[in-house]
Each structure stands twice: as C-alpha cells, then as structure tokens.
Amino acid sequence: MKTITYCIAAVLWAIAMSFSLAQETDQENTIEFLKATKERIINEEKDALKQEVERINRRLENEEISYEEAETLKNEAAEKRAMNIENRLAIVDNKIALIERNGVDEEENNIVVIGFGKDDESEGSLFGIQFNKSNERKYDRRTYSDFVLAVGLNNVITKGESLNDSDFKIGGSRFAEIGWAWKTRVFEESNWLRFKYGFSFQFNGLKPTDNRYFVDTGSQTELQEFPVDLDKSKFRMDNLVFPVHFEVGPSKKIEGENYFRYSTYNKVKVGIGGYAGFKLSSRQKLKYTADGEDVKEKLKAEYNTNNFIYGLSAYVGWRETALYVKYDLNTLFKDNPVEMRNISLGLRFDMD
C-alpha cells in the first residue's frame, strides 16, 4: 500500500509541475517571438534605408539633385532609420519586461510595432502604427499532457507453452498502470503524427494455479506446492517505466480569432512504441488457515527477478479509451532455465 501511495503522490506532483511548466512555456514562447520581432525590425529599417539610398542615387544620376544634396539626404535618411530602430526596439523591450514581470495573457496576442514610410500602405498599418493581426500570429499549443490509467488482465508467455497451458489464472492475474504522458505534434502544420512520452508505474500481478507459490531456491525461482490449502496466492512486481509511442490518426483543426488547436476527439488513434525502466519491488501475498487461525503473509524479496524492464506496447483508441497491450522483452526471472515474459491486455484511459 505504501508503494501505491508513493506512486500516486509522485503523479500528483507531476501534474502540478506540468501546469507550472505549461505556463512557463507560454511565457517563454511569447518572449522568443518578441526577440525575433526585434531582429525583424532591424532588417526592415535596413531594407527601407537601402531603398531610400537607391532612390536618392537615381535622382543624382538623373541630375535632379547635386552630389552635396544627395549626401545630405542620405545622412538624414540614415539618421531617421537609426531613430526608428531605437524607438521600435524600446517598445518591444518594454513589452518583454512587462511579460517577465506579470506573465503572459493568452488573450493578449496582438503585437504593436511602430513603422514609417512605405510600410504604412500595407494591410494592418495605420498612420505609422503596424498591427500584427490575429490571423498573422495565432496562439498555438503544440504539446499537451494528460493523466494515464490502464487496467486489465496479466499473464506470462512461457517458452514452448501457450497461454492455455499457463501456470497462472487467466482471470485472476491482473495489471494496473498509472502515470503521466506528454504528447507533442511532430509537424508544424499537420497533426497526423504525434510523439507521446512520459512515465508510468506498473503493477503486474500473477496468481499461480494448483495451490502453488513461488520459491527462490538460490539458483532459480520456481513454483512449488504449498504444504496446506491456500486461500490466496499472489505474486506482484512493481515497476517504474518510461513509455514512448508514436501516435497516428486523423484530427480536426479548430481555429479561433487568435488561436488554433488540433482536436483528436471522436477520432481513432493508434499508438505504437515501447518502454524501458526498472523494477521497484517484487512481493508475494499468501493467505491460508493453520491450526484454526487465518494467516496472512506478505513476503517481500528479490525472487531472482530482473531489475531492468523493457518491452513493446501498442494501443488503438477512440476518445479517451483504448485497447492496450504490452509485452516485456526481458524475462521475468534472471537465471531460470525456462524463459517467462510478462504480457498484459486491457483498457487504457488517456484523459486528453
């Protein structure tokens, strides 16, 4: 129970951290955009100065003005563009300072840039003040995070045997998984491929058949007959793993006045990938009656289990629910002559 409590506490901590990181990411993205705007301002003013100088040179070539007048006009144009750069950059710097002090407001998506000259004729400019319209810069959220819960049946695949010959109860052996996942759109202008990653706590349970339990003999771990009738025999491994999936499927683009999103609600999604991590603990629970008294034993030991966990997993889902399968590529026990690998099938719930 302590392990589960610690796991839930860790997930709740991760949820809180994800909300904090999301806010920090929005602020960082806005500041990066403003810094890029500063570079654009400098380039715009330099290009405008270059055009003005070319016009002055053409007038000089056509003998409309003298050389002295041309030099004077060039100096005035350079001074004007230098002042434009200074004033426009000051506006952006003040905006950055405001965001760093107060955070970013999602509704505040329009950036105002001061411009002069021919740019005033372009769409989105008025009397030297250029507005970046919402359709020119819409707020995009490329990464999402969500809570993951999975439950279902658990068993092992033994080399040379089928599941019908399993040493473990089909309906009585179960698994559970709880974790947190992030999903990032791979392509900037399309959402057909997503990269999903995170961490999960896995609880894989096995119930042996025929009144047996696991015994570590030193060289291997094997199932042996218990000396009295067992009311319950259950073996469980707890793992911390880091799943990675590539998710594909259609989505719907939703556009607002100053934002856009991709929604996979009511869409089929398919995820293929794997996981790797390490074992947290292995334990066995036995319940039986001895001398007229009910006995409950909780045996926590290594049981010769593998410490490094890795495997393949996949899911096919619609809305928040998916059919989920995972298969350990590592063997359950290190030195057993017969290889046993854990396999799970159930439902996965992604609250995205």
Side-chain angles (χ1 to χ4, degrees), residues 11 50-51 67 77 105 148 196 207 235 257 278 334 346:
V11 171
K50 182 179 179 181
Q51 293 175 10
Y67 176 81
D105 184 355
V148 176
K196 197 156 189 173
K207 286 188 176 182
F235 177 81
E257 183 178 351
F278 52 88
K334 295 177 184 176

Side-chain angles (χ1 to χ4, degrees), residues 112-125:
V112 182
V113 181
I114 305 300
F116 300 93
K118 194 170 183 179
D119 289 341
D120 292 348
E121 301 173 5
S122 64
E123 184 180 355
S125 296

